[in-house]
Amino acid sequence: GFFQMSGYSEEELRTVFGNSFLAVIHPEDRDQTEALIRGNLDTENPLELKYRIITKDGRVVWMLNRATLCADEAGGAYYQCVCVDITRLKQLEQSLASKAQLDQLTGLYNRETARMLIREFFGDASSRYGNHAFFMLDMDGFKKHNDTYGHVEGDRLLCRVAGILRATFRGTDVI
């Protein structure tokens, strides 16, 4: 599984990477993965790892690696692994997480996420952030507009306002 997913051959792993699969693990995941492996060496517990690899053709692939520590005939330790490509699953998880945080109509943070981020910001603002401000917008007459022109037109208005807010504020601001 690993060689097919990575695009590397056993020979390339041996000669190019010094027989260490850690070299193809995404740099952001490498230290944590190595620490988990090293921490498991003294146990006989199976190990389950999730990490990204960079394939031979440069793609990033999420991998689930279930490993069992084994001993060879000379008494040396090695892991016997089953690797599964979980890239699509990770993409779906990320999509669901994003949908859970964003209003589907406007693409802005939903009420609960905005509240959480604002609480977090003001709770940490004095130590981490410089000057800060809180701005609240009330769309006077929106209910009347919605009742007069219908919900489809009300949705369009909300989307236009959301677009103006996104264009006006920084990407790091909570809108």
Side-chain angles (χ1 to χ4, degrees), residues 25-161:
I25 292 179
H26 193 285
E28 293 175 10
D29 300 342
R30 194 174 297 140
D31 289 342
Q32 181 182 8
T33 301
E34 185 173 15
L36 289 169
I37 292 169
R38 290 194 188 285
N40 195 63
L41 286 173
D42 294 333
T43 73
E44 292 184 15
N45 298 330
L47 185 60
E48 182 173 292
L49 304 167
K50 293 179 185 177
Y51 52 83
R52 294 166 291 176
I53 63 169
I54 301 180
T55 64
K56 188 175 182 177
D57 63 7
R59 292 177 301 116
V60 175
V61 173
W62 273 98
M63 184 176 290
L64 169 64
N65 184 337
R66 291 194 173 124
T68 304
L69 191 59
C70 301
D72 62 20
E73 295 166 359
Y78 70 95
Y79 278 105
Q80 183 174 24
C81 303
V82 175
C83 300
V84 179
D85 181 344
I86 59 168
T87 304
R88 183 72 182 125
L89 176 64
K90 284 294 192 177
Q91 291 167 340
L92 289 171
E93 284 177 1
Q94 186 176 20
S95 174
L96 287 172
S98 177
K99 286 179 181 176
Q101 294 178 343
L102 301 177
D103 176 74
Q104 290 183 357
L105 176 66
T106 63
L108 300 178
Y109 288 119
N110 62 30
R111 180 178 302 165
E112 189 56 38
T113 302
R115 282 182 183 162
M116 179 199 63
L117 291 170
I118 290 167
R119 263 188 252 122
E120 181 182 305
F121 177 79
F122 280 110
D124 204 22
S126 61
S127 61
R128 250 175 86 195
Y129 303 100
N131 295 330
H132 52 278
F134 180 79
F135 170 76
M136 184 174 275
L137 173 70
D138 182 22
M139 293 176 56
D140 289 336
F142 177 74
K143 181 181 181 341
K144 183 177 179 182
H145 178 88
N146 212 26
D147 292 343
T148 303
Y149 299 106
H151 293 285
V152 172
E153 186 56 37
D155 288 352
R156 282 191 192 119
L157 178 59
L158 287 173
C159 289
R160 283 197 300 270
V161 170

